[in-house]
C-alpha cells in the first residue's frame, strides 16, 4: 500500500528520510577524517532505529540524558552508552547498576558522595562502573570547577566499584551563538577549561582516556580542538528551526503535518497546538508557504496568517517546522517516515517521556 503523505491523519510528526540520512552521512563523513569520534546524543530523537543508523554510519556509541533513555536503548541492543548526567539517589543508582550488568555504560559524576554511593552499589553486585567526571566549562549547570577535578578523580581512584575513564564538559552556553567567530571564541575558551582539568589530572598520574564535549552548533569547532576525543552532538539528525537558523549545513528532516480546520479571510487555523508542537523556544514556521506566519498556538489550534493571494483552504495540509525538536518529539508516540512524498515506515518513539 502506497500512502501519500497528504493522506495521513493529522497532526502527524514526519521525518523526511532522505534528509535524515543525508544529515547522518554528513556528520559521519566529517568524523571519518578526524581524531575525535562521534557519540551522538539520542535525547533528541529518542528512537533506537535512528541510533542504530548512527552506529552503522560510524558512531562509537550513543549519549543519553536519562537513565530511562539508556534502559530503552539497551533493550534494543544499542551499545556504548554514555549517560551524560548525574544519577542520584538509591532508586536510580540501583537501576544504573542493573543496567551496567547488561551494558558497559559510562556515567557522569560531579560529587564524591554520589560517586561513593554508585561505587558501593556496584561493588555489592561485583561490578565496577565506568565514570567520567563532569567539568563545568561555563554552562553553569552540573559539574565540578576545573581546578576541583583532581580531588574528585583522586577519590574515584580509591573506589573499587568505579573505573575512571575521563572527563566531560558540555559547552551548552556556546552552541546557539549565531555569529560563528564569536561561537568559536566562546567554545575555545570553554574547552581550554576542560583541557586545564585534563592537564592537572594527567599530572597527578591518572590517564584520561575520554574527553567528551560538543553539541550540534559546535561539532566542527570542538571536533577539531586538540585533546577532545568524542563529540555528543544530537540535534543534527533531525534539526529544528532554532538550529536551522545557524546554517550549519544540516537540513530540517522533522516537520509536523497539520490540516487547515477553519479559515476567515487570510487567517487560518490548523489542528496543531502546544500539545503537539513545543513553543518554549519560539513559534514554528510554515514549510513551503512563502509569507505564511504562525501567530500563536493554543493547545490544539495553530493560528496562521497567510499572504493575501494565498489559495490555501479548509481541508488542505500544511507542514510546520518546530523551533525545538527535542521537546516536540517527546510529546509524540510515532514518527511517520516519508520518502519523496510517500509513507515508507512508522517508528515508535520508544524513549519518549522517559524522564526518570
Ligand atoms: C550534555 C549534553 N551534551 C550534548 C548536547 C548536544 O545536543 P545538540 O546536538 O542538541 O546541540 C546536549 C544538549 O542539550 C547536552 O545536554
Amino acid at each position: 500500500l502506497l500512502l501519500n503523505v497528504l493522506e495521513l491523519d493529522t497532526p502527524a510528526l514526519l521525518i523526511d528520510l532522505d534528509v535524515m540520512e543525508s544529515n547522518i552521512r554528513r556528520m559521519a563523513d566529517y568524523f571519518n577524517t578526524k581524531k575525535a569520534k562521534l557519540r551522538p546524543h539520542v535525547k533528541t530523537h529518542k528512537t533506537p532505529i535512528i541510533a542504530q543508523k548512527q552506529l552503522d554510519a560510524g558512531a562509537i556509541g550513543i549519549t543519553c540524558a536519562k537513565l530511562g533513555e539508556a534502559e530503552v536503548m539497551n533493550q534494543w541492543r544499542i551499545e556504548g552508552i554514555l549517560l551524560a548526567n548525574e544519577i542520584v539517589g538509591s532508586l536510580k543508582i540501583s537501576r544504573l547498576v542493573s543496567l551496567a550488568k547488561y551494558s558497559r555504560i559510562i556515567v557522569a559524576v560531579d560529587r564524591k558522595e554520589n560517586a561513593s554511593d554508585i561505587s558501593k552499589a556496584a561493588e555489592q553486585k561485583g561490578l565496577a562502573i565506568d565514570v567520567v567526571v563532569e567539568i563545568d566549562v561555563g554552562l553553569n549547570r552540573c559539574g565540578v570547577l576545573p581546578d576541583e577535578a583532581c580531588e574528585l578523580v583522586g577519590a574515584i581512584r580509591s573506589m573499587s566499584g568505579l573505573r575512571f575513564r575521563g572527563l566531560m564538559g558540555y559547552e551548552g552556553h556556546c552552541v546557539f551563538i549565531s555569529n560563528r567567530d564569536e561561537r568559536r571564541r566562546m567554545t575555545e575558551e570553554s574547552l581550554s577549561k576542560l583541557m586545564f582539568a585534563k592537564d592537572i589530572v594527567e599530572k597527578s598520574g591518572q590517564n584520561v582516556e575520554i574527553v567528551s564535549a560538543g553539541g550540534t552548533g559546535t561539532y566542527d569547532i570542538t571536533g577539531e580542538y586538540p585533546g577532545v576525543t568524542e563529540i555528543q552532538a544530537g540535534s543534527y539528525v533531525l534539526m529544528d528551526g532554532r538550529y536551522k537558523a545557524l546554517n550549519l549545513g544540516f537540513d530540517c528532516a522533522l516537520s509536523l503535518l497539520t490540516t487547515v480546520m477553519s479559515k476567515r479571510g487570510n487567517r487560518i487555523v490548523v489542528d496543531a497546538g502546544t500539545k503537539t508542537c513545543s513553543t518554549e523556544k519560539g513559534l514554528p514556521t510554515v514549510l513551503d508557504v512563502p509569507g505564511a506566519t504562525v501567530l500563536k498556538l493554543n493547545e490544539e489550534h495553530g493560528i496562521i496568517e497567510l499572504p493575501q493571494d494565498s489559495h490555501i483552504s479548509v481541508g488542505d495540509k500544511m507542514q510546520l517546522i518546530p523551533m525545538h525538536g527535542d521537546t516536540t518529539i517527546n510529546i509524540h508516540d510515532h514518527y511517520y517516515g516519508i520518502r519523496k512524498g510517500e509513507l515508507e515506515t512508522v517508528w515508535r518513539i520508544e524513549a519518549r517521556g522517559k524522564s526518570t
Side-chain angles (χ1 to χ4, degrees), residues 41 43 84 141 168 170 214-216 232-235 243:
H41 214 310
K43 74 184 173 72
R141 198 168 67 179
M168 80 159 249
Y170 174 56
T216 294
Q232 304 174 2
S235 295
Y243 257 136

Side-chain angles (χ1 to χ4, degrees), residues 248-314:
L248 299 165
F250 301 101
D251 276 331
C252 284
L254 187 77
S255 67
L256 185 64
L257 187 70
T258 65
T259 304
V260 179
M261 51 194 282
S262 180
K263 180 171 187 184
R264 191 183 309 138
N266 63 334
R267 193 188 122 289
I268 57 166
V269 182
V270 295
D271 62 353
T274 55
K275 282 184 173 166
T276 46
C277 182
S278 69
T279 54
E280 91 285 5
K281 302 294 181 194
L283 291 169
T285 52
V286 183
L287 186 69
D288 293 338
V289 185
T293 311
V294 178
L295 299 179
K296 73 170 179 178
L297 295 192
N298 289 351
E299 284 179 42
E300 302 286 14
H301 301 81
I303 319 298
I304 297 174
E305 190 174 62
L306 296 173
Q308 290 297 348
D309 57 352
S310 172
H311 297 299
I312 288 173
S313 51
V314 171

Side-chain angles (χ1 to χ4, degrees), residues 2-10 12 14 257-259 288 315-319 336 338 340-343:
L2 280 181
L3 200 61
N4 187 282
V5 61
L6 299 178
E7 296 173 278
L8 289 174
D9 202 1
T10 61
L14 310 182
L257 187 70
T258 65
T259 304
D288 293 338
D316 286 353
K317 299 272 169 62
M318 289 181 108
Q319 280 166 265
Y336 295 84
I338 305 297
K340 304 204 187 340
E342 272 167 8
L343 180 68

